[in-house]
């Protein structure tokens, strides 16, 4: 292709604008914002992974977890990929799954936070009592449930010890 006959066009400046390097480049102005948002997401993810509470994000319905924090994997013994491929109710003790499904349905319908105590099951079959709360939010026209479960094993153990001590009196 022959260059245009107008020699006054600065081809280097036009090239820089197209690839995002020029002063007035649209691409260049978005890059710092994109970097800042990526940094914010990485920081948020690191903080969520450092909490002791189990955090699961689910889609409304019978879908598996969309995301989970490291505490889920640590306490329950499932690799993250497995947690994301299992229906969330598979993490709940079998005798409590109907109540769990009911809790999820209620939270999805009411949009209010629902709370309960329930047992989660690890890969080796050990059951962990947790205080579980769930709340649904809409994001990108999809309904997501945010489940936060706090391990109350120690509290339950202390309650049993207190009851036994009171019986001896």
């Amino acid at each position: 292709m022959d260059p245009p006959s107008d020699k006054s066009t600065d081809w280097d400046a036009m090239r820089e604008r197209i690839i995002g390097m020029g002063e007035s480049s649209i691409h260049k102005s978005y890059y710092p914002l994109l970097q800042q948002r990526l940094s914010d997401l990485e920081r948020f993810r690191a903080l969520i992974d450092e909490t002791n509470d189990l955090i699961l994000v689910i889609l409304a319905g019978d879908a598996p977890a969309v995301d989970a924090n490291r505490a889920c994997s640590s306490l329950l013994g499932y690799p993250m990929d497995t947690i994301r491929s299992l229906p969330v109710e598979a993490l709940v003790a079998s005798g409590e799954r109907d109540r769990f499904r009911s809790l999820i349905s209620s939270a999805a319908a009411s949009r209010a936070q629902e709370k309960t105590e329930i047992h989660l099951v690890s890969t080796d079959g050990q059951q962990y009592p947790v205080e579980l709360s769930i709340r649904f939010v809409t994001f990108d026209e999809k309904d997501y449930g945010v489940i936060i479960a706090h391990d109350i094993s120690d509290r339950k153990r202390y309650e049993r010890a207190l009851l036994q001590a009171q019986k001896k009196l």
Side-chain angles (χ1 to χ4, degrees):
M1 178 174 174
D2 291 333
S5 59
D6 183 357
K7 301 289 182 186
S8 65
T9 304
D10 185 355
W11 291 107
D12 289 335
M14 185 181 288
R15 179 182 165 277
E16 286 181 355
R17 281 188 15 233
I18 290 171
I19 64 172
M21 301 301 290
E23 283 297 316
S24 62
S25 170
I26 294 173
H27 303 292
K28 184 177 179 182
S29 65
Y30 286 114
Y31 185 74
L33 179 62
L34 179 62
Q35 284 296 103
Q36 181 60 46
R37 294 234 172 128
L38 183 58
S39 177
D40 290 347
L41 286 172
E42 288 173 350
R43 181 182 62 244
F44 184 73
R45 181 65 194 201
L47 293 171
I48 292 298
D49 276 341
E50 290 305 315
T51 184
N52 291 330
D53 290 340
L54 287 73
I55 300 174
L56 290 157
V57 178
I58 62 170
L59 274 170
D62 294 331
V66 174
D67 202 0
N69 69 341
R70 193 175 310 149
C72 291
S73 181
S74 296
L75 182 69
L76 302 177
Y78 291 99
M80 292 299 283
D81 292 341
T82 302
I83 291 173
R84 291 184 188 119
S85 66
L86 289 173
V88 175
E89 68 183 43
L91 303 174
V92 175
S94 59
E96 300 178 67
R97 289 182 183 163
D98 288 339
R99 187 166 56 91
F100 179 73
R101 281 194 281 289
S102 176
L103 181 79
I104 295 231
S105 296
S106 176
S110 71
R111 295 299 174 151
Q113 183 176 11
E114 299 285 339
K115 296 180 179 182
T116 192
E117 284 187 15
I118 206 158
H119 289 84
L120 298 180
V121 181
S122 66
T123 54
D124 63 3
Q126 184 172 348
Q127 293 189 11
Y128 293 93
V130 296
E131 286 180 338
L132 183 138
S133 67
I134 182 168
R135 185 175 197 131
F136 276 83
V137 296
T138 301
F139 183 75
D140 281 346
E141 299 180 17
K142 293 181 183 176
D143 292 331
Y144 292 91
V146 179
I147 298 172
I148 300 174
H150 180 74
D151 181 7
I152 56 173
S153 299
D154 290 339
R155 186 182 87 196
K156 291 294 187 179
R157 189 171 29 258
Y158 296 141
E159 286 174 357
R160 284 190 302 273
L162 182 60
L163 284 173
Q164 288 176 351
Q166 287 175 346
K167 285 181 184 178
K168 291 181 181 179
L169 293 177

